[in-house]
Amino acid sequence: MEKNLARRVIRGEYYYPATNALWFYAPNNGEACKSTWWDQNLAGRYKNHCFYRPASGVCQELH
């Protein structure tokens, strides 16, 4: 299932919380996501990955 999702994302499909996320990281097991990372706000978490949405103007293709 995860390989299928990865293929769909490569083809251009995006899903919340990674809809406009430019950055993500995987915290250690049991750790919460940081509210900001590289000055970007937390968009959400999916499994063990924290996704961050860029501020307006950071990436013109997204806004």
Side-chain angles (χ1 to χ4, degrees):
M1 179 172 160
E2 291 179 7
K3 287 182 181 181
N4 183 41
L5 180 58
R7 287 184 191 105
R8 292 171 64 186
V9 169
I10 290 169
R11 288 193 303 257
E13 293 182 43
Y14 296 96
Y15 301 94
Y16 180 83
T19 307
N20 289 337
L22 292 178
W23 298 276
F24 70 91
Y25 80 100
N28 293 325
N29 287 334
E31 283 186 14
C33 295
K34 298 175 184 177
S35 61
T36 59
W37 193 55
W38 294 100
D39 295 324
Q40 307 303 310
N41 292 323
L42 178 67
R45 183 176 188 141
Y46 180 73
K47 295 190 178 184
N48 196 36
H49 289 85
C50 304
F51 292 88
Y52 295 83
R53 74 175 59 87
S56 181
V58 170
C59 183
Q60 297 300 320
E61 289 83 8
L62 295 176
H63 294 282

